[in-house]
Each structure stands twice: as C-alpha cells, then as structure tokens.
Amino acid sequence: MLEYRLKNYFKCISVVMMFLFAAALSGQSRPPAAKIIPPNAKAGDYIDVNVPTYPESAFTPTQLVTDVLVGSSPQCGTPNISNVSITPNQVASNNNRFWGYFNKSTSQFPFAEGIILSTGYARRGGNAAESGVLGDQTGTNSDPDLVQAINTTATLNDAVVLEFDFVPSSTQMKFKYIFASEEYTGGFPCLGYDDAFALLLKPVGGTYTNLAVLPAGAGPVTATNIVPASFTCGPINAQYFGSIAPNQTNYYGRTIPLVAEATVVPGQTYHIKMVLADARDNGYDSAVFLEAGSFDIGVQILSPAGVALPPSINMCDNTPQSLTASVQTPGATYQWFNGTAAIPGATAATYVATQPGVYTVEVTVPGNQCPGSASVTIIGGTSPTVQNATLTACYAPGNATFNLTNAQPAITSTNGVSFSYYVNQADAIAGNSNTIATPTAFSSAGNQIIYVVVKSGFCSKIAQLQLVKAAQMTATIAPPTPITCTNPQIVLNAQSSVYPAGSTFLWTASAGGYVVSGGNTLTPTVNSAGTYTLTIVKTYQPGNIACTVTAAVNVTTDLVKPNTSVTAPKMTICNGESVMLIAAGGPNYIWQNIAGTGNTQTVSPTVTTTYTVTAVGANGCADDTPATITINVIPAITSTLTGGQICPGDEIILDAGTGTNYTYLWSTGDTTQTIVADTPGTYTVTINNGVCTKSFSTNVVQAIVPEVINVIFENNTLTLTASNPSSGVLEYSIDGGVTWQSSNVFTNVMNNVNIVIKVKVKNTSCVGSLEYFTFNMTNVITPNGDGINDEIDVSGVSRYKNFGGNIFDRYGKIIQKLDKTKTNWDGRFQGRSLPTATYWYQLNWEDPANKSTVVKTGWIMLKNRE
C-alpha cells in the first residue's frame, strides 16, 4: 500500500481532492486515505492505550477522574468529585470502548499518562502502527452543547462525553490536554472537516463556558482552527500545532499540550462536561488526551505575584519567602506546617518562611469538610560573593575581542560557581538562555556593560562587567643618526610614542646590534649597527591582559677614515718669513702644535721645522697615518737702516747693514751698503741673500727749527717746553749750545743770572735760541752800606716787555714804584730810611717765551738800624 501510494501520489492527488471536496459538500462518507507508516516504526515508538499490564486500564470512568485525572488525597481519600458519567456508557472490560487510560511507555509523547477520549476505538490510538485510517463509529450523534461552544453548522457525529461534578478548594481550576485527529491528512482541514473538542464548565444551575479555547481569543480547538503551514490554507494558529505523524500516536496530526483553566469559587459545586465529536462524517476519528494529575481543583501556594509556585523553590541566603494560600474566601481557616509539625501561630493565608524546609498549608473552606492542602519544598542555598569589575581588551580598529572569562577571579572568589554572560540586564535577571554564546571571544567596541550571573548551586548574583577597549598605542622611533667616530654610541629616541601610564618598554637587538644601557626606557644607548626593536607593553588586570605594540629601526655606521696630504708653495723660507701649509683629505684637521682645524695654516718658523697634520672626516674618524711637511729656514734678512731729519745744507748717511751673501739695491739706484742723503724723502733698499729678498724703507725728513715756548724756573730747577713741528728728537742746552741733553729739565741752575737757552732737532743744524733771566726775589734787605743785601735789584727782568712793579707797606701804601728806569729799592721812602717791617711787592712783565703776563708778588723783610 505504501509503495503504491508513493508511486501514484502526485498522479492521483488532484482526482482525490476533487472527490473529497464533492463528498464533503454532499455530506457523504469519504473513502479512507492511505496511512503513511514510517519504515522504521515499532511498538515502542507509540503510546500504550488500555494495555492490561497497567492497573488503570481497568478503571471505571469515576476512578479515571478521581484517581488519574485529579488524584486521591492522602488526608481525605477521594477528592470532591461526584456524579461521574460517560457517553457512550461502556464497561471497562470492553476492548473497543471509546475512552480509557494511556501511558507514554518508551515513546516521546509529552504526557506521561492520562485519560483518552476518542470518536473511535481508543486502543487504536496507540500500541502499534495502524495502516488504515482510524474511522470507527460510536453509535452516537451530535451534542448541542458542543455545537454551541464551537458555533458550527456542520453535522456532528460520534460524540463522546465525560461529565462530573466537583467542589473546588481554590479560586482556580485547570488541566492540560492534547487534541489529535485523522483529519490532518490530504486537504481535509482546508475543506471544513472541523472535528472539535470542548471543555464546558458551569456552576450547578448555571450556563456553560468553553474552557478549551486557544489563548488570546484565537478560537476553539478544532482541526480547522489549528492548521500548520504545510496545508494550503495554513498557517492557522500554527504555533499550537505539534507534529504530523510520526507523533507517538496513530493520528495524522496532534497539537502541542494546551491548558484549559478558569476562575472558580471555592466550596461551590461545579459541573464539567468534556465533549469530542467528528464533523461532517463518521470516519477520520479524533481524540483528546487529558494529562494525569493536571486537573487541579485544590489549594495552591502562590508567590507574592499571585503565581502558583512549583513543587520546590530555592531560597538563597535565607532570604524570606512569602507563601500565600490560593484560597481567599470568607470563613476559610489556615494552618501552616514545616514538615509534619504545625507552625505555632501560622494560621493566616500568608506565611513568610525564613529557612529551608517542606512547607504545607491546609485550608478548610465552609461547606467542604475535607481541607485542601498544598506543599512547597524550599531548598536552601548560599549566594556567591560578587563584585563589579572592569575588563580591558587591547585596542583594535572597530570592535575588540574580549575574553569575558578572564574577569572571573575579579568578580568572585567563591569556589565551584558557574558564570553566564548577558548583554541585557533584563535577561540576566530572568536568567534565561539569551546568554553570550562565546564569552571567550566577545566582540565589542568597549564602553559596554556586560551582566554576569554568578551561580553557586541555584543561588546567583549579578555583577556588572565594564568592558573597556584600551587606548591605541603607537611605537614611533625617530630616524637614528649613524654611529661614527665622533659618536661611537647613539641614543635612540622613541619619546613620541603613544602609550598609557604604567606601560613598560623593552628593546631587543639583532643583526649585530647591542644595547649599552636604557633597554627598558624610550631612550636606550646603543653602540653598534643592527636592528633594534621596541616593544611597549601595558598589562591590564584582571586576566593579565598584555597589550603590546612594536616598532623597529635600523642603525648604520659611518667609520670610513680619510687620507691626509699636506703641501706648501715653497719648502725653504727665510727666518721671519711666513708660508702657508695646505692640507687635504677631510673637512677638519688636527695640526700638531698648531691651533685651528682648518685646511690651511700660515706658519713663521725661525728654525727648520717639520709640521704634522691629521685629516678628520665629517664622521669624526681620523686618518691613522698623519701627513708631514718640513719647512727649511735660513737666517732672516736684517737691516740697520734708519732715517732722520735734516736742515737745509745738512746730509745724512743711510746704512742698510751687513749680512751673509747680501746684495743691495737702493731706490736711488745705488748698490752699496751705504748712501748719503741730502734731500728729504723716503729711501728704500732691497736686500737679497740668494734665497730671500726683503725691502727696508726709511724717511729723511726736512726739519723745522724748534722754538722755546715756555720756561718754568722754580727752586733752581729750569723746565723747558719747545715746539717740535717736524716731530723729531729734540736736544736742549742752557749754556749757549756748548753742552746738549735730551731732557728738557735742568737742575742746580743759579738764581738771577742771564742764560742762553738753545733747542735743536737732533743731528741737524736746526737750532732755536732764547735769552732768559733766572729771576728770584731777595726777601730780606739790610741797607747798612756793607755791600750785602743792601737793596733789592730787579734789573734782570726790567728789560722784558711791559715790565713794572710796586712796593707797599702793610697798609697798602706804595712806597716805591719800579720800572725800566727804577729797578732797585734801598729801603728808603722820600729820602729817608723806613723802619724795620715787612713790606710787600708786586712785579709784572711779559714772559719772553710764551708771551703771557707774569705776575710776581710776595713779602720783603726790611731791617734798619735805629
């Protein structure tokens, strides 16, 4: 059958679809479709249905509801369930009954066990693969409550109904179920074959509410309202579809587990009606699977948010946990237990637990003698100790790569913890699966917070991990100068590098390089050619993250030595001559015993001398072999030639002096050693000794007669001043030219004598003369006729121009006038002798030398005998 279907499926599908569509419109039965059985299907892949080895397979409908769907209470026995009925009413021993017990056995079915209701034989829903379509008939027809619940106009057949009354102990009731149907084949869900299930709830005496509806008002649970995308009319609420066969059952398709729930009043009696039916035909059965224990009509323990707690919850660090009984009705009584012991005073609807334990609440509702109870196990744990941390990744363009696990030691020191990393804080708080997939290689631009959930057992805390992308580092080395003889070691400069504080530096040398010092600084000293590599490292914690940057530079050498040479225009000179030494081979030179580093030196040796010079290159390297040159020196040409001054008629002998091999040539044309000059002018002689030639010049000057222009006579010392218009050497005489001296000062000159002063230009006949009287006033006179100091005589100066004078008594009275006719005074006035007293004089005349007026004043002591 399978082989036939596979070979002819595409060929026949259009014909079948047209036939099915026509049959649906006419309400007639559809022909059975071929069942697709997986080639490797085996019994263990299917659920077990009504298998005798399970005691529950022999349960009556009442037992299935009370003991499987709801479960018995150990305190009160059977829960508050009554009036259980099933339609069609079949005994538990009927192998072809339409209801029963299922167990997942070794299959992957979502529910472990529960109740099955089917529009066909329940046993065919599992156990082993069924090759034919499940299309058994129950003998029942439609159900008006189901028709109203799903709002259908289609004909319903094979209705199966399970009903019972119950009294809830809490405000909420719910159960879980799965809808399955053979309609999920061909195009049937798209042709209106809406097999359906409804779970109808009403308070006794009230009206039904269908609880078997999809969330958010998405409609009833039917084969046409839950359609996957694989059908032409799908998807329709496809998120609630489970799978096409294989799906652990013999139905073509099934939904995911669905939940029916409602809010109820504790202590009030309610009626439940579960109804399932085929639509439009009696074939292509459907089923509903009710999960065992999921029908909750008792008490629940709620969280502070009003959500039912799971069987066990975790308590970290003894954090108080608020537990609230779901039943909140007037007149209800409460008792909380820790284990089997009642907690004293814990009789309110809410209890706050402060330590781990098994907590149970018993709630007694008025009208319900059996108390409802619920338990929750609180498992204690200790949260890890965490702290926020910062993780640094090395700089990279764009995003950097962070190994988030490197920060773990900085975040917590608690042992045995696990770490989860989240981008969003909400995800971290929820602890969901939206974790960072590869925390060892997380890409980020930095400046981002990662939320780290540190979990110790079930207790966790969240730490914030600040991601920082390290600043970009650059290693920059300035181009180095070559190593030279001047600079045998150089300093590399990487100070323009960019790096964060706390960085370390390391230089390595290769290809012959050698670091002398400073290998861990930005300015190392090196002394050989080679390659020098700088590595800058900044290490960040936590994680010992070492960010590095490198740069390399090549150092070269320039140690080439120059070749030195030295020359001179001539190698032999006369003593006193100079010669230029010219060196070549380099920009700088070292001269032995000569200052300066230029390539030329002017020397004036007095004896034969050897000179040494070493060329030094621009690199500071000196020639290993200096160059030398010897300058031979012969005695210098010397001359005693001196000139002089002459007066008209004078002549002077000019003598050039003697020397070895001297020959002479005068500017007069003479070639003798001496010549006679009688004419003023410049006379030059050129002397040659066979090697050197040297000229000497002297001047013969026309002398001008000098004149005495000032004479000072004091204390027998005569000081002369003479004009010297020809600037020659002067000689002086005060004895009329008998004796001459070069000094103009004469000592021991007698008072009051006439002298003849002469001055001349030395070695000439140019002489100037002046007569001069060495006047000196006698201060004491004794006119007694003895011939000694009888009078004052000024005749020696009376001949000078403008001579005159007076003698006064102490009262200023003129006693005697003196002039050229009266040149003496004998102590008398008007013919008679004056008394002894001090008298005063004043004399004046024109100085014969400088033509200025001379004024002489003083006192005279007159001593007369009485």
Side-chain angles (χ1 to χ4, degrees), residues 34-100:
K35 176 78 72 174
I36 301 176
I37 302 175
N40 59 348
K42 56 184 181 295
D45 293 334
Y46 294 88
I47 63 174
D48 292 337
V49 181
N50 291 334
V51 175
T53 55
Y54 300 101
E56 295 85 350
S57 297
F59 278 8
T60 65
T62 298
Q63 289 176 301
L64 288 176
V65 172
T66 58
D67 295 350
V68 177
L69 185 61
V70 178
S72 298
S73 169
Q75 290 84 5
C76 301
T78 304
N80 296 312
I81 302 294
S82 61
N83 299 323
V84 179
S85 67
I86 194 163
T87 303
N89 188 10
Q90 298 167 294
V91 296
S93 60
N94 186 343
N95 189 44
N96 292 327
R97 62 188 183 275
F98 305 104
W99 50 272

Side-chain angles (χ1 to χ4, degrees), residues 140-219:
T140 59
N141 295 312
S142 180
D143 183 273
D145 295 326
L146 177 60
V147 171
Q148 184 177 359
I150 65 174
N151 192 25
T152 183
T153 59
T155 300
L156 300 182
N157 300 296
D158 299 327
V160 177
V161 181
L162 175 63
E163 298 181 80
F164 57 88
D165 294 334
F166 75 98
V167 180
S169 298
S170 69
T171 59
Q172 189 179 46
M173 61 137 286
K174 63 180 179 179
F175 71 92
K176 295 180 181 179
Y177 64 96
I178 293 174
F179 174 74
S181 178
E182 290 280 69
E183 298 290 358
Y184 290 108
T185 186
F188 300 156
C190 301
L191 297 177
Y193 289 97
D194 47 356
D195 291 9
F197 169 69
L199 189 149
L200 304 175
L201 171 71
K202 68 178 180 180
V204 173
T207 59
Y208 281 125
T209 299
N210 183 18
L211 305 185
V213 292
L214 299 178

Side-chain angles (χ1 to χ4, degrees), residues 526-538:
V526 303
N527 67 357
S528 60
T531 299
Y532 295 87
T533 301
L534 167 63
T535 300
I536 302 177
V537 180
K538 170 62 177 177

Side-chain angles (χ1 to χ4, degrees), residues 521-765:
T521 70
L522 292 174
T523 53
T525 300
V526 303
N527 67 357
S528 60
T531 299
Y532 295 87
T533 301
L534 167 63
T535 300
I536 302 177
V537 180
K538 170 62 177 177
T539 301
Y540 295 92
Q541 300 298 339
N544 205 33
I545 307 300
C547 300
T548 63
V549 65
T550 62
V553 69
N554 291 322
V555 173
T556 61
T557 59
D558 180 5
L559 302 174
V560 177
K561 298 179 179 180
N563 294 318
T564 312
S565 63
V566 62
T567 59
K570 53 184 179 179
M571 306 291 286
T572 301
I573 63 172
C574 293
N575 190 354
E577 284 190 325
S578 298
V579 66
M580 180 180 289
L581 307 181
I582 304 170
N588 298 296
Y589 301 88
I590 300 174
W591 296 87
Q592 186 173 336
N593 300 323
I594 303 176
T597 59
N599 70 316
T600 62
Q601 294 281 357
T602 299
V603 295
S604 303
T606 58
V607 297
T608 297
T609 303
T610 297
Y611 296 92
T612 302
V613 62
T614 302
V616 179
N619 57 8
C621 297
D623 189 354
D624 290 332
T625 306
T628 60
I629 188 170
T630 300
I631 303 299
N632 298 304
V633 179
I634 62 176
I637 297 174
T638 61
S639 175
T640 59
L641 178 63
T642 58
Q645 294 181 330
I646 61 174
C647 289
D650 291 343
E651 61 181 21
I652 187 172
I653 297 175
L654 302 179
D655 187 350
T658 62
T660 304
N661 298 324
Y662 280 10
T663 59
Y664 309 90
L665 177 62
W666 292 87
S667 56
T668 61
D670 295 310
T671 58
T672 58
Q673 178 182 335
T674 64
I675 62 173
V676 175
D678 57 4
T679 303
T682 299
Y683 292 84
T684 301
V685 62
T686 300
I687 303 175
N688 188 297
N689 64 1
V691 176
C692 306
T693 298
K694 189 172 184 180
S695 296
F696 302 90
S697 295
T698 189
N699 291 320
V700 175
V701 179
Q702 174 68 57
I704 300 174
V705 177
E707 295 180 0
V708 178
I709 59 175
N710 195 36
V711 179
I712 298 174
F713 179 68
E714 292 178 347
N715 301 321
N716 301 109
T717 297
L718 185 73
T719 301
L720 304 177
T721 301
S723 65
N724 190 10
S726 54
S727 302
V729 177
L730 299 182
E731 291 183 317
Y732 304 90
S733 174
I734 61 172
D735 59 4
V738 176
T739 58
W740 296 88
Q741 66 179 44
S742 60
S743 174
N744 64 332
V745 179
F746 293 87
T747 60
N748 300 318
V749 179
M750 295 179 62
N751 293 328
N752 298 318
V753 295
N754 283 310
I755 60 174
V756 177
I757 300 173
K758 289 184 179 290
V759 59
K760 71 172 181 177
V761 177
K762 187 177 181 179
N763 296 326
T764 71
S765 59

